[in-house]
Amino acid sequence: MRLIALFPLLCTLVAFILSLLCIFAGSKTSYLENADILTLNTSMLGEFSVNTSTSSGGSSWLSSIEGDIVGDINGLINDVAKSLNIHDFYSAHLLDYCEGYYTPSPISNATSQPSKNVTSCSNHTAFFTFDPTAILQNELKPGTNLSELKWPSAIQDAIVAVETASKVMFVLYCIGIGFAGLALIGAFVGFFAEGRLSAAFNVMLDLMAFLSLAIASAIVTTTSVKVVNAINQYGSDIGIAAYQGSTFLGMTWAATVLLLVAAGGWLVDCCIGRKKHASRKDENQDGPTITATFEATVPFPSLPEEFLSLINTSILTSNSVLLITYTTLNFRGKSANMGLKAIHFGGGNIGRGFVAEKLHMTGYEVVFVDVMDSIIEKLQATKSYTVTEIGGEGEKVNTITNYRAINSKTHEADVIKEIASADLVTCAVGPNILKFIAPVIAKGIDQRTSTTPLAVIACENAIGATDTLAEYIKDPKNTPQEKHDEHDSKVRYANSAIDRIVPQQDADAGLNVKIESFFEWVVESTPWTKTGIKHPEIEGVKWVEDLVPYIERKLFTVNTGHAAAAYYGHNRHKKFIHDALEDHEIKKIVHEALDETRHLIVKKHGITNQEQKHYVNKIIKRISNPHLEDVVERVGRAPLRKLSRKERFLGPATELAERGDNIDALLGCIEMAFLFQNVEGDEESAELAKILKAHDAKSVVEKVCGLTEKDKIFPRVVKIVEKVQKA
């Protein structure tokens, strides 16, 4: 017996059993019925046949009458639906389908499925294709037709489209199981027989079984997604829904992965046998001993990314048995991050290149929401895009997949449904746009039925951006006062601080994003810890109890320094930020401005002087990176926002002035920002020029900066504006 062969033998045995279970699942009403490929839920058929939307401009009494009429009609439709003689659900398997009723009765809009009571299963049939249209039509009472219930023809089109693929899938499962059986026999032989030949033979058998099951698993995953999406997209109006079978997919992919691991185990056995043979040969020869080192590399095929993140392919270690055993159990129990969904508002560079990148790396499906037709259409037409991280050590390219995109301007109802079943909502739209995305988020939260609160994190360059978004969402216009308690139980709002430079993109970049390799994403954890629940996991996020020091340090250092270099650079006709900072006078001014903000940060937040100095030097080095090719006009755009009371210049300057500290360098930056006028492509710079021309200096300071005469800094900023107006 060879103990080294025990591991691939066990892997092959488990894979063979799992693949058989995939074939025979649902053969009886009590035999692995839950291991279905997909389930069609018809329990609500007819409930949504009447459109209940009303015009926001209609009178209340007319809306009330319309609501009563719609309610009566929907009630009548429900009574009709119950008498249609159809079952609550139909579960599709490889060789048959099962049907039954839910216990207890399902609740409308519920996100979790009630328990199933299977009443019967169809006969096993080779090359079986699940055809819900034919099944339902056959069960309907005589004289009733699906067309009368507005059954969408698009569902049948999707079924027909995957029919051939389903037959190919069945053949591949049979081939895969056949090779897995042969591999199991070969594994038993290899367990008792010595020699590299048996190991090499088992590598071939396991790889053949692996390839067959891998293709079959990929087909079943793709076809089930296509059919489920078609049913949910076109059937929601008449009250039908579909769910993908996670248990079946878990079994089929686990069997596939185990066969690959078994092949790797036999390959290791083969290489070790070769090494032993070489060692024995050397021992029988005179002369010096020659030690030969052999490395075996097992090519890993393209599999769904959740499996790539779970499986360690470096199996040439003494702990490989324990490692793979843990991985398999983790997969069969479903990874903690599988099935997560994040809704991200804003398809811009920060959204695609920073937030979505980290969400994708965590395992989230990302649903982009935007009103820009061009961005949404590109995202919908493209299955992937790249994020290129640029740093001193070179470039690193990440490919982003597993995303969808919705235009909230034309498909608001779809956005609401997605939020109702999401785990996380993020946004990178700009602080001024938060009030426009709040209503749809409020509607989505109102429709949630999950007991797990939705996480909402605004990723904006503004202090307390999530709090601002929450205020808009909870405004009585969006969330009635009487629903606030219920609302608070459904959601957790967390402020965040983000720090990552996105330079000017290439003209032909499309969806691809070029971004700085350094990043910082800090999120407050108190919304979860104070209620005793765990915060969501997001790759790269640093969770802290007190976020304010991180927000102000970032805003008053990174953003202040970056904008200062941009405005002085623009004033002196520099093209890039690194060009501006190569000007010794500009670099000196930027350092002086950050020395002033350092004084505030150290006093206010208890950060040591040395630590903040180190942070300042690191930031200036970052923004001086010539590889970023960061255009000064891009960094300086939106001067009205950047000149506001809580922003990068006036935020620290106002506090320092109240303390009686020096603010000369910051005032110089404010002057340069006021001179940033009529810049091509920047609407705010044009608006700033109009305001400066139409109003006196005091009015400009009050309107643009939000300052009043009570602020100590007010007269000094007025003098700056007067100087700019005279220039």
Side-chain angles (χ1 to χ4, degrees):
M1 289 190 298
R2 297 187 301 138
L3 292 179
I4 193 172
L6 180 60
F7 174 61
L9 169 61
L10 292 176
C11 288
T12 306
L13 175 62
V14 175
F16 180 70
I17 293 172
L18 287 174
S19 57
L20 283 176
L21 292 177
C22 288
I23 286 283
F24 294 105
S27 58
K28 298 178 182 178
T29 57
S30 58
Y31 184 71
L32 288 177
E33 193 285 322
N34 282 331
D36 55 85
I37 299 173
L38 63 91
T39 296
L40 175 67
N41 183 348
T42 57
S43 60
M44 298 294 177
L45 183 60
E47 181 176 346
F48 305 104
S49 295
V50 178
N51 185 356
T52 59
S53 62
T54 58
S55 172
S56 60
S59 62
S60 59
W61 66 268
L62 184 58
S63 298
S64 176
I65 292 173
E66 183 179 354
D68 291 339
I69 294 172
V70 168
D72 290 340
I73 294 174
N74 268 333
L76 179 59
I77 290 174
N78 285 336
D79 291 338
V80 173
K82 290 176 182 178
S83 63
L84 291 175
N85 200 39
I86 61 175
H87 291 77
D88 283 349
F89 68 87
Y90 299 83
S91 300
H93 302 277
L94 271 178
L95 301 179
D96 67 345
Y97 73 92
C98 296
E99 58 189 15
Y101 300 94
Y102 286 120
T103 305
S105 298
I107 301 170
S108 179
N109 296 328
T111 58
S112 60
Q113 300 179 47
S115 61
K116 295 178 178 178
N117 178 24
V118 180
T119 57
S120 63
C121 294
S122 65
N123 295 327
H124 267 45
T125 306
F127 303 105
F128 170 76
T129 299
F130 180 61
D131 187 350
T133 305
I135 294 169
L136 289 174
Q137 184 60 59
N138 186 55
E139 289 193 355
L140 285 173
K141 284 187 174 183
T144 307
N145 195 288
L146 278 179
S147 60
E148 297 172 5
L149 298 175
K150 300 181 182 179
W151 182 266
S153 60
I155 294 178
Q156 185 62 26
D157 294 340
I159 298 295
V160 172
V162 301
E163 185 174 354
T164 302
S166 299
K167 294 177 180 179
V168 173
M169 174 184 69
F170 173 75
V171 173
L172 288 170
Y173 268 111
C174 293
I175 295 173
I177 291 173
F179 274 114
L182 291 173
L184 184 59
I185 296 171
F188 276 106
V189 174
F191 181 68
F192 293 98
E194 187 90 13
R196 290 184 292 124
L197 183 60
S198 64
F201 185 69
N202 282 321
V203 169
M204 182 188 69
L205 289 175
D206 281 322
L207 284 178
M208 292 299 294
F210 160 75
L211 289 173
S212 300
L213 285 185
I215 298 172
S217 299
I219 292 174
V220 74
T221 302
T222 304
T223 55
S224 63
V225 167
K226 182 178 180 65
V227 173
V228 166
N229 287 347
I231 292 172
N232 289 335
Q233 181 179 356
Y234 300 105
S236 60
D237 290 338
I238 63 169
I240 62 171
Y243 320 105
Q244 205 169 9
S246 58
T247 302
F248 179 91
L249 293 179
M251 291 195 303
T252 186
W253 281 111
T256 303
V257 171
L258 283 170
L259 287 168
L260 178 63
V261 172
W266 287 118
L267 187 58
V268 172
D269 184 18
C270 185
C271 292
I272 291 176
R274 182 181 175 186
K275 184 175 180 180
K276 287 181 178 178
H277 177 74
S279 298
R280 285 196 298 268
K281 184 176 180 180
D282 289 337
E283 288 173 1
N284 294 326
Q285 293 178 344
D286 295 329
T289 300
I290 301 174
T291 302
T293 302
F294 298 89
E295 291 185 5
T297 303
V298 181
F300 205 86
S302 177
L303 290 176
E305 292 188 20
E306 53 265 33
F307 302 107
L308 294 179
S309 65
L310 288 174
I311 297 170
N312 187 331
T313 57
S314 302
I315 61 175
L316 300 181
T317 70
S318 59
N319 295 323
S320 60
V321 174
L322 292 175
L323 172 63
I324 300 299
T325 300
Y326 166 76
T327 300
T328 304
L329 290 175
N330 188 29
F331 166 70
R332 291 182 66 189
K334 191 175 183 183
S335 167
N337 289 336
M338 288 178 66
L340 292 176
K341 181 170 69 175
I343 314 301
H344 178 77
F345 285 82
N349 293 329
I350 282 289
R352 299 195 314 276
F354 184 8
V355 182
E357 179 197 37
K358 297 306 173 187
L359 295 177
H360 169 78
M361 293 170 68
T362 311
Y364 283 88
E365 177 196 24
V366 179
V367 180
F368 288 100
V369 178
D370 208 309
V371 295
M372 295 290 291
D373 296 337
S374 58
I375 290 178
I376 292 298
E377 288 169 2
K378 285 180 182 177
L379 287 167
Q380 290 174 339
T382 309
K383 293 183 178 180
S384 66
Y385 64 87
T386 60
V387 175
T388 303
E389 299 181 355
I390 304 169
E393 66 282 1
E395 295 186 357
K396 177 185 175 184
V397 179
N398 297 320
T399 301
I400 311 303
T401 58
N402 191 29
Y403 60 81
R404 293 180 284 123
I406 302 174
N407 191 326
S408 58
K409 181 173 58 180
T410 57
H411 292 77
E412 182 181 285
D414 293 339
V415 179
I416 293 170
K417 288 181 182 178
E418 296 290 353
I419 294 172
S421 59
D423 301 280
L424 171 68
V425 169
T426 56
C427 66
V429 295
N432 295 334
I433 307 299
L434 294 176
K435 59 187 174 184
F436 299 113
I437 67 173
V440 69
I441 297 176
K443 292 174 185 176
I445 294 172
D446 185 55
Q447 290 193 11
R448 288 182 66 82
T449 57
S450 173
T451 56
T452 302
L454 175 71
V456 176
I457 304 172
C459 308
E460 309 290 350
N461 268 328
I463 296 175
T466 307
D467 287 341
T468 303
L469 176 60
E471 289 176 7
Y472 287 129
I473 292 173
K474 296 173 74 172
D475 186 288
K477 292 183 295 185
N478 299 320
T479 304
Q481 187 68 40
E482 62 271 17
K483 286 192 173 185
H484 276 196
D485 289 342
E486 178 187 356
H487 177 93
D488 292 341
S489 69
K490 293 181 176 181
V491 64
R492 296 290 182 271
Y493 295 102
N495 288 303
S496 75
I498 60 169
D499 179 8
R500 199 172 199 183
I501 297 173
V502 183
Q504 188 80 18
Q505 303 298 302
D506 297 333
D508 59 349
L511 293 175
N512 299 331
V513 182
K514 183 170 61 176
I515 199 165
E516 178 193 25
S517 58
F518 175 89
F519 75 91
E520 189 174 57
W521 188 0
V522 187
V523 182
E524 60 182 353
S525 60
T526 47
W528 290 273
T529 55
K530 69 182 181 182
T531 55
I533 59 176
K534 194 177 186 305
H535 59 69
E537 292 299 327
I538 304 174
E539 179 77 19
V541 165
K542 180 177 182 179
W543 298 90
V544 298
E545 291 291 325
D546 184 9
L547 186 66
V548 174
Y550 293 91
I551 292 180
E552 292 203 340
R553 185 178 75 159
K554 185 264 176 179
L555 185 62
F556 297 164
T557 307
V558 181
N559 297 96
T560 301
H562 211 194
Y567 289 132
Y568 272 101
H570 174 75
N571 186 257
R572 300 189 184 188
H573 309 292
K574 307 292 184 181
K575 183 176 182 181
F576 299 113
I577 294 296
H578 69 267
D579 291 334
L581 290 171
E582 285 174 359
D583 185 311
H584 295 296
E585 187 175 351
I586 294 178
K587 189 171 185 178
K588 179 174 178 291
I589 293 170
V590 172
H591 266 290
E592 288 172 350
L594 296 186
D595 280 342
E596 292 173 2
T597 62
R598 172 175 56 83
H599 191 62
L600 174 65
I601 291 166
V602 169
K603 279 189 174 183
K604 188 175 179 181
H605 298 300
I607 298 172
T608 66
N609 194 51
Q610 192 60 37
E611 181 183 355
Q612 183 60 17
K613 274 187 176 181
H614 175 73
Y615 184 69
V616 167
N617 291 332
K618 180 175 71 172
I619 296 308
I620 292 180
K621 182 179 179 181
R622 280 175 56 203
I623 63 178
S624 301
N625 184 356
H627 297 291
L628 293 174
E629 295 185 343
D630 213 358
V631 179
V632 295
E633 284 76 19
R634 185 202 72 82
V635 179
R637 65 188 177 195
L640 290 176
R641 174 169 62 85
K642 291 169 183 174
L643 281 167
S644 61
R645 173 71 179 257
K646 295 182 179 180
E647 266 285 347
R648 58 208 69 195
F649 297 136
L650 280 164
T654 301
E655 289 193 52
L656 287 167
E658 296 296 325
R659 294 169 179 260
D661 293 326
N662 180 45
I663 56 171
D664 290 342
L666 287 170
L667 289 172
C669 296
I670 292 169
E671 180 181 344
M672 292 300 108
F674 270 110
L675 289 169
F676 193 81
Q677 302 171 32
N678 294 318
V679 176
E680 184 179 356
D682 181 42
E683 294 180 1
E684 283 198 16
S685 65
E687 181 64 22
L688 174 61
K690 292 178 182 178
I691 293 172
L692 286 166
K693 188 175 181 180
H695 301 278
D696 60 76
K698 285 187 177 181
S699 299
V700 170
V701 174
E702 290 171 350
K703 182 179 179 64
V704 174
C705 304
L707 297 173
T708 68
E709 294 185 4
K710 294 180 181 179
D711 298 304
K712 287 186 178 181
I713 197 176
F714 184 82
R716 301 182 70 176
V717 179
V718 169
K719 287 183 179 180
I720 288 173
V721 173
E722 289 174 344
K723 179 181 176 182
V724 170
Q725 288 176 322
K726 292 176 182 177

